[in-house]
Amino acid sequence: MTDSEHQMEAPSAPEPRRASRRSFFTGALGTGLAAATLAGRAVAQTTPAPSPSPSPSPSPSPSPTGTPTPGLSDVDILNFALNLEYLQANYYSYAIGSGALAATDISGTGTAGAASGGRAVSFGTETVIQAYAREIAADSLAQVRFLRGQLPSTAVIAQPAIDLSVSPTSAFSVAARRAGIIAGTGDSFDPYASVDNFLIGAFLFKDVAVTAYKGAAPLIFNKTFLESAAGIMATHAYHAATIRTLLYRRGQANAVLIPWTTGIAAARDALDGAPTEDLIRGIAPNDDQGVAKVSTPDGDRANIVPSNSNGITFSRSPTQVLNIVYLNAAAVTSGGFFPSGVNGTAKTSAASG
């Protein structure tokens, strides 16, 4: 049994519909990784002050009421986001048959690595889903290039090693085993083997991306970049909702799909901790949700959006995101989809148990 699997042995019981979400701030500011501004303050540090022209540049100074992120510069935070975009962009690029990202899109500082183990999905007659996959792949690559473009050329991190393989010890298999999709230590999960498996792989990544960007919103000082970051989050949310809708619909014919999403949600909850509930900010100890239908006095309804009773979706801090992509509930610097860790300063997950 791998270290990642050992850390994932005790899932929190999934609920059909959580009434609230995760605390982005609880315990995170003390680690110096909570301020997932992702990109805003990187621009604020590296571009001139806004002018009255129609296309203002981001301001170099935060709001007087703002507090700098302890231990992290804005460049550090932007690079943290870039690690996550490298992961997603490679997954979709492989799936549509384009292979790994080009060298010009992944060069930079830090320990460079390859995205290995991916391959094309055979979409067959599922031409509509194939078209969706191509759109998501294009958007993901554009986001990689956009984030790289916000950094000084000497500060852009290289892509780290990324595990997209399908062996029994691969990141996908470890995650699937924890979610109850596969059972034995010799079993493996192949997200490229079918359209349904591909959608499960996409579900694993996209919901995490939305929560990471949502967590950035309260801490971005520069309004010009806040709008850009909100746009990236919205793109991820559109993608995530499309994937969740497809899984809900296809789950009516393939009975395993909806329980698989519930298992993945429970696994992510078990990894990223249990902060105190805050309904207004969208916070709860168990916030993640699959796509199982919800029974109400007015009848059954779908669960496309993982929102709370106020209709608010939740946030994750960088440490929580790293717990998930490292597939480890402990404070570690590598594992899971990043076997050698991420590049940049923000690279340690939190002890979330």
Side-chain angles (χ1 to χ4, degrees):
M1 180 176 291
T2 66
D3 290 340
S4 294
E5 290 171 288
H6 178 73
Q7 291 294 335
M8 299 173 73
E9 278 302 310
S12 52
E15 301 173 26
R17 180 79 172 186
R18 273 81 176 191
S20 55
R21 295 292 156 272
R22 170 147 330 268
S23 173
F24 172 65
F25 297 102
T26 303
L29 288 174
T31 68
L33 290 175
T37 59
L38 299 178
R41 283 177 279 167
V43 175
Q45 287 184 341
T46 58
T47 55
S51 69
S53 66
S55 300
S57 300
S59 169
S61 301
S63 163
T65 60
T67 301
T69 308
L72 290 180
S73 71
D74 296 339
V75 168
D76 295 331
I77 297 167
L78 181 54
N79 273 322
F80 176 79
L82 184 55
N83 283 291
L84 305 179
E85 299 296 352
Y86 283 143
L87 173 61
Q88 292 195 88
N90 276 286
Y91 177 63
Y92 295 107
S93 185
Y94 269 118
I96 66 170
S98 296
L101 300 189
T104 54
D105 291 315
I106 63 173
S107 62
T109 63
T111 304
S116 60
R119 71 172 193 274
V121 175
S122 178
F123 289 95
T125 60
E126 301 280 9
T127 55
V128 171
I129 296 179
Q130 183 177 41
Y132 291 160
R134 288 172 176 163
E135 179 182 3
I136 295 173
D139 288 339
S140 298
L141 178 57
Q143 288 163 352
V144 166
R145 290 172 174 170
F146 173 78
L147 291 174
R148 287 171 60 88
Q150 304 312 298
L151 290 158
S153 59
T154 56
V156 178
I157 59 160
Q159 174 187 282
I162 295 173
D163 176 19
L164 295 173
S165 64
V166 299
S167 74
T169 58
S170 70
F172 276 121
S173 295
V174 171
R177 193 171 296 114
R178 177 62 186 82
I181 296 173
I182 58 176
T185 57
D187 295 339
S188 62
F189 178 73
D190 183 351
Y192 316 103
S194 69
V195 171
D196 285 343
N197 282 18
F198 162 73
L199 291 172
I200 288 293
F203 172 80
L204 177 62
F205 293 140
K206 274 298 174 186
D207 276 17
V208 176
V210 175
T211 62
Y213 277 93
K214 198 259 185 180
L219 299 171
I220 296 177
F221 295 122
N222 182 274
K223 291 186 178 181
T224 299
F225 203 83
L226 176 59
E227 183 175 6
S228 297
I232 296 174
M233 186 189 75
T235 301
H236 281 302
Y238 275 117
H239 294 164
T242 298
I243 291 160
R244 292 175 68 95
T245 301
L246 288 169
L247 286 168
Y248 182 84
R249 185 177 187 123
R250 293 170 73 86
Q252 311 311 303
N254 185 350
V256 303
L257 286 181
I258 291 177
W260 283 2
T261 68
T262 302
I264 290 171
R268 292 188 300 217
D269 265 337
L271 288 169
D272 67 5
T276 304
E277 182 176 79
D278 185 328
L279 285 169
I280 294 174
R281 289 185 292 165
I283 293 163
N286 296 316
D287 48 30
D288 214 324
Q289 300 169 34
V291 299
K293 69 181 179 181
V294 181
S295 295
T296 75
D298 298 322
D300 292 343
R301 56 186 173 88
N303 192 25
I304 304 307
V305 180
S307 59
N308 69 6
S309 57
N310 290 327
I312 298 172
T313 56
F314 63 103
S315 309
R316 284 188 173 101
S317 68
T319 54
Q320 291 173 317
V321 172
L322 288 173
N323 285 129
I324 294 172
V325 297
Y326 287 165
L327 299 176
N328 201 317
V332 297
T333 57
S334 64
F337 293 98
F338 293 99
S340 299
V342 297
N343 280 325
T345 302
K347 60 175 57 181
T348 305
S349 59
S352 58

